[in-house]
Amino acid sequence: MPTFRSQTSTTFRRTYNTALMSIGVILAIIAVLYELKALVKITVNLNQKRYFTTENVKLVWLFIVSQLYTLAADPFLAGANQLTRTYLDRIKIGDFSVTWSDIPEDLVGLVIISAIYMLFKMAEQMKRENELTV
């Protein structure tokens, strides 16, 4: 028979788990929304043959913002998933099965996206300078 103390501890862990997961999911949804917005607009611009424009540079910046939100969500989701595995004895986590090893992976993704952003910005500046020369 469980004691009051163990029930309180389990309730606290579940509440803590729910709070962590909620914050992580909200941040992940914000990241996906930024990503989708940028992806749709960049796709439209590329279909209209507008490649290196100021608007596209800003849209690539949105991918960086999205990745930052993803990085912000990782500790919350990984913490909640660790609590789920450790204290609630659940193995299948579901759709948000982030672990602590996802943080370095997302950092690498951020570095790659940042490099793409810098190259895209340089190409846009070169195009602008080319248009100014006669």
Side-chain angles (χ1 to χ4, degrees):
M1 181 171 177
T3 63
F4 176 73
R5 184 174 177 177
S6 68
Q7 287 176 343
T8 304
S9 178
T10 302
T11 303
F12 173 74
R13 289 183 188 129
R14 286 184 183 157
T15 304
Y16 189 60
N17 181 45
T18 303
L20 286 173
M21 188 61 79
S22 298
I23 293 169
V25 167
I26 289 169
L27 290 171
I29 288 172
I30 291 170
V32 168
L33 291 176
Y34 273 122
E35 218 168 86
L36 287 175
K37 176 182 176 182
L39 186 63
V40 167
K41 287 186 176 185
I42 283 179
T43 304
V44 167
N45 286 345
L46 293 178
N47 282 337
Q48 295 174 352
K49 299 191 183 337
R50 292 185 290 166
Y51 302 115
F52 299 109
T53 64
T54 306
E55 182 185 7
N56 284 349
V57 171
K58 290 178 184 176
L59 292 171
V60 174
W61 177 255
L62 277 182
F63 281 113
I64 292 176
V65 171
S66 169
Q67 192 66 19
L68 289 171
Y69 273 104
T70 301
L71 271 168
D74 282 350
F76 294 104
L77 294 172
N81 290 332
Q82 183 176 352
L83 281 174
T84 301
R85 286 187 188 104
T86 305
Y87 296 111
L88 301 178
D89 298 324
R90 294 185 186 148
I91 295 174
K92 293 202 173 205
I93 305 297
D95 293 330
F96 293 99
S97 59
V98 175
T99 61
W100 296 106
S101 64
D102 289 341
I103 295 172
E105 292 171 8
D106 286 341
L107 280 171
V108 169
L110 179 63
V111 169
I112 291 169
I113 294 169
S114 297
I116 292 170
Y117 170 76
M118 288 187 294
L119 291 172
F120 215 87
K121 189 172 182 177
M122 287 171 40
E124 186 267 334
Q125 288 173 347
M126 288 172 61
K127 179 185 172 216
R128 208 170 352 125
E129 289 172 4
N130 247 358
E131 291 172 351
L132 292 176
T133 59
V134 179

